[in-house]
Amino acid sequence: MRSAFNEELLKIAKADDRIYMVLADIGYGEIEPFAEAFPDRFYNCGVAEQNMTGVACGLAMEGKIAVTYSIANFPTLRCLEQIRNDVCYHDQNVKIVIIGGGLAYGSLGVSHHSTEDIAIMRSLPDCVVVCPADIPEARAATYAMIEHEGAFYYRCGYKQEPDLHQGKIDFELGKAIEVCDGSDVTLIGTGTVTYRAWQAAELLAGEGIKARVISMHTVKPIDREAIVAAARETGAIVTVEEHNICGGLGGAVAEVIAESGMGIGFKMIALPDEYVHIVGTHEWLLDYYGFSPEGIAGSVVELLA
Amino acid sequence: MVSEKLEMYQELATKIRAHCLRMTHRGMSGHLGSMLSMADMLAVLYTSILKVDPENPEWDERDRFVLSKGHGGAAVYAVLAEKGFFPMEWLNTYYLDDGKLSGHISHHVPGVEFSTGSLGHGLPVAVGMALAARNDGKQHRIFCLMSDGDCNEGSTWEALMFAAHHELDSLIVIVDYNRVQALGKMADVIEMEPFVPKLELFGWSVRSIDGHDCEQLEATLSEVPFEKGRPSWVLASTTKCKGVSWLEDTVGSHYGCVNDEELAAALAELGVSK
């Protein structure tokens, strides 16, 4: 997915000379084409995320579109105050891109797990939060990110994730994409783990449970209509996210449901409120924490029981 | 320097100080010491150095002025009001309910480039502005006024390394070097000395001056960039709370404002009527 993002950004940058990449010494093997094509619009700040974000803000204040880019928590938590005070408060056109959301860098350990980012970033006024589910979404989201005026958080995967969608997708910021329809329950996912939610729906179909699957690629602004429709039409919602259970997609969906006044079955499949110190690959950790298709399907059955 | 010009600077600096005394007294707010130590440099900057237009604060060719020590924002509000960026009456609303002017400097005020308040934010943003200006072939300069506390922040050092590496000579830092921080004297908190060689080793072109000497301020700031291909750093030595004798060089003045009696005494010391 990261390669798809970089390919699209390069294409857009060829036609739009306002686009700058401002990095903090991360991106080996991916960012070189941009650096070679636009040496005057590519700045490696060294290992200095606060300066990276401040410089990006300063560029944006002069009319540029500045993309900060690094892995996991580095371009968010390390420089969160610069994102809040400088970028968001001044409503600047800075795009904060992380490679490897959630547990993507599993075995590297807690420092490289981006598992609180959605909650934190969505609490910043005027910051859009997008987590593409697959490569087609990632490509479309790159265009949407540049077209959007203002602060934007883009949570990218880092490898060759399987396609969730078949054929062309209709990607619009703040508008969820229905992967498949169903009438018994709705699985709402965000990011690459949504593919596992869809696999779970396939398993549930075998048990006679018709599950709707929605890719909520934009967590902020969230698609309230899709959530309310899912609540009304399927009577139960399960959120699936590779994120701490506090304040992420599940929290955002719960806020909408609670305000809608509809009492429905609801469950959040997320990481527990603890640091993931056990060691394992991305896939292994996801299975461990209940994100295997069987695990997700089991949670759904439990909710509906 | 002709004495008339010097008198003009001093007169404006006195007005800035008087405004700050009244504003902080009315709002019962803090940071008086940080405001008064930079009054002279603001007077010189806004009279003779910065290319800005009160009628058109967004003028594209203006020099950018970033106040990184946002807690001293009232002094900038005062000089902006004196220069006609907004009505003088706004100063009376500083720090008050539904006021026009917040305690830390705000870009919602005409003439203010950037909001700060947490230290270490100004320089990285100024660096980004300088980078954009150079790439666009623009001639304006970017001034960033910082405190010695600002220089404790890691982000400041990240930015100053970057600025030197990229030879951003349209960037000028002025440090209001009053050597008093929030919890004590700089020498007791984090000693920055020897500061000049430290900055020179980091690739900046540095001048050390008296930050209350308007003649020196004008002469020095008129010569930027000091060297082609290097960002300029003006280490302007000042006295915290300059102009209010009993509060000068005190840690307390970082937080303090004056009471009714002290206001009258301070204004009298400045030679200003209440």
Side-chain angles (χ1 to χ4, degrees):
Chain A
M1 186 184 287
R2 64 182 174 180
S3 301
F5 167 80
N6 279 290
E7 285 165 17
E8 298 305 329
L9 185 68
L10 184 63
K11 280 186 215 164
I12 301 168
K14 281 178 180 163
D16 189 341
D17 65 7
R18 295 174 302 162
I19 297 174
Y20 279 60
M21 277 195 99
V22 189
L23 277 69
D25 214 28
I26 290 280
Y28 183 77
E30 294 291 340
I31 48 74
E32 290 81 358
F34 191 107
E36 284 159 20
F38 311 112
D40 291 341
R41 292 195 268 141
F42 177 88
Y43 291 95
N44 181 359
C45 295
V47 190
E49 291 79 8
Q50 294 180 85
N51 187 48
M52 169 182 79
T53 307
V55 167
C57 182
L59 287 165
M61 292 186 78
E62 298 298 332
K64 313 301 181 191
I65 301 173
V67 179
T68 64
Y69 176 103
S70 190
I71 61 171
N73 293 317
F74 303 172
T76 52
L77 303 196
R78 181 59 178 250
C79 45
L80 183 59
E81 198 180 69
Q82 277 77 13
I83 295 173
R84 177 185 181 272
N85 295 11
D86 303 350
V87 175
C88 293
Y89 179 43
H90 291 82
D91 199 16
Q92 290 304 312
N93 219 355
V94 174
K95 317 302 177 184
I96 301 137
V97 178
I98 70 152
I99 304 302
L103 301 174
Y105 290 108
S107 300
L108 287 178
V110 170
S111 64
H112 284 57
H113 296 162
S114 185
T115 48
E116 304 84 20
D117 54 329
I118 296 174
I120 292 166
M121 297 305 285
R122 85 179 181 92
S123 72
L124 298 175
D126 298 327
C127 186
V128 169
V129 176
V130 167
C131 315
D134 64 1
I135 289 170
E137 281 194 14
R139 290 187 189 280
T142 310
Y143 287 86
M145 175 181 88
I146 298 299
E147 281 164 18
H148 175 80
E149 285 268 341
F152 197 108
Y153 176 52
Y154 183 117
R155 189 197 220 216
C156 192
Y158 90 118
K159 57 188 175 186
Q160 187 66 38
E161 290 86 358
D163 281 355
L164 175 66
H165 304 290
Q166 306 303 315
K168 206 170 179 306
I169 58 166
D170 184 13
F171 186 95
E172 192 183 330
L173 279 185
K175 199 85 190 148
I177 301 175
E178 188 176 286
V179 182
C180 59
D181 199 7
S183 52
D184 297 329
V185 62
T186 299
L187 296 174
I188 302 178
T190 196
T192 54
V193 79
T194 309
Y195 184 79
R196 287 169 172 250
W198 173 76
Q199 288 179 306
E202 295 280 288
L203 294 178
L204 290 166
E207 296 178 38
I209 298 171
K210 299 186 194 70
R212 179 182 299 181
V213 177
I214 287 174
S215 170
M216 191 67 77
H217 48 72
T218 309
V219 179
K220 184 183 179 181
I222 200 148
D223 187 345
R224 303 176 75 90
E225 277 182 30
I227 297 167
V228 171
R232 189 175 55 240
E233 292 161 15
T234 71
I237 289 178
V238 176
T239 57
V240 184
E241 63 186 314
E242 204 174 327
H243 186 272
N244 186 295
I245 198 159
C246 299
L249 171 74
V253 171
E255 289 159 15
V256 175
I257 296 171
E259 284 197 332
S260 77
M262 284 187 276
I264 62 162
F266 179 68
K267 184 168 181 63
M268 296 187 285
I269 300 177
L271 293 165
D273 187 21
E274 63 190 34
Y275 293 101
V276 177
H277 63 85
I278 58 171
V279 181
T281 61
H282 188 198
E283 303 299 324
W284 185 85
L285 286 171
L286 285 177
D287 288 348
Y288 180 89
Y289 281 106
F291 293 98
S292 66
E294 295 77 12
I296 296 170
S299 293
V300 172
V301 169
E302 202 175 291
L303 174 70
L304 298 180
Chain B
M1 183 183 291
V2 289
S3 59
E4 282 169 28
K5 204 168 187 189
L6 190 57
E7 277 175 25
M8 191 170 62
Y9 291 143
Q10 287 166 345
E11 194 180 315
L12 179 56
T14 299
K15 284 181 180 171
I16 294 169
R17 289 194 168 92
H19 283 308
C20 292
L21 278 160
R22 294 192 191 100
M23 290 160 79
T24 52
H25 169 261
R26 195 181 293 112
M28 290 169 43
S29 65
H31 305 124
L32 180 63
S34 310
M35 296 163 191
L36 268 49
S37 61
M38 63 175 175
D40 299 296
M41 52 187 86
L42 289 175
V44 173
L45 277 166
Y46 276 89
T47 301
S48 299
I49 305 297
L50 294 176
K51 295 187 184 73
V52 289
D53 179 4
E55 300 299 319
N56 185 11
E58 308 283 315
W59 176 40
D60 191 48
E61 292 171 31
R62 72 192 182 279
D63 287 331
R64 274 57 167 170
F65 174 74
V66 174
L67 180 74
S68 191
K69 44 173 292 187
H71 54 287
V76 175
Y77 295 151
V79 76
L80 290 174
E82 286 290 342
K83 291 294 179 184
F85 279 84
F86 54 81
M88 197 70 81
E89 300 78 59
W90 286 19
L91 299 182
N92 301 335
T93 73
Y94 172 76
Y95 219 79
L96 301 178
D97 291 346
D98 203 26
K100 293 275 193 190
L101 307 172
S102 58
H104 288 88
I105 198 158
S106 165
H107 67 289
H108 292 286
V109 176
V112 175
E113 201 74 52
F114 193 67
S115 298
T116 54
S118 175
L119 294 178
H121 283 249
L123 188 55
V125 173
V127 165
M129 291 173 170
L131 209 50
R134 185 174 68 187
N135 285 4
D136 292 344
K138 292 184 174 173
Q139 299 305 310
H140 63 259
R141 293 89 49 88
I142 294 86
F143 291 81
C144 182
L145 176 50
M146 304 183 5
S147 65
D148 30 35
D150 255 317
C151 298
N152 289 172
E153 292 280 5
S155 54
T156 293
W157 291 88
E158 292 178 4
L160 72 85
M161 287 192 285
F162 182 96
H165 180 87
H166 289 281
E167 303 176 353
L168 297 176
D169 58 12
S170 67
L171 178 66
I172 302 104
V173 162
I174 307 164
V175 172
D176 175 8
Y177 197 39
N178 59 38
R179 299 183 176 86
V180 179
Q181 308 198 193
L183 276 187
K185 298 287 176 75
M186 187 191 82
D188 300 324
V189 180
I190 294 288
E191 176 60 272
M192 303 303 294
E193 292 293 338
F195 208 2
V196 171
K198 209 176 278 183
L199 293 161
E200 285 173 341
L201 285 170
F202 273 75
W204 285 63
S205 194
V206 189
R207 298 267 178 95
S208 188
I209 64 167
D210 177 347
H212 298 307
D213 182 335
C214 294
E215 202 167 339
Q216 264 196 56
L217 280 163
E218 190 203 277
T220 307
L221 292 169
S222 297
E223 286 175 9
V224 294
F226 303 140
E227 284 179 72
K228 192 168 168 42
R230 281 179 189 247
S232 305
W233 190 291
V234 180
L235 193 60
S237 289
T238 57
T239 300
K240 190 117 176 173
C241 217
K242 175 76 173 177
V244 181
S245 57
W246 66 93
L247 291 176
E248 283 186 357
D249 200 32
T250 61
V251 175
S253 74
H254 184 79
Y255 301 96
C257 55
V258 288
N259 61 29
D260 293 348
E261 283 173 19
E262 288 171 324
L263 177 66
L267 291 174
E269 232 183 52
L270 291 174
V272 177
S273 63
K274 191 175 182 186

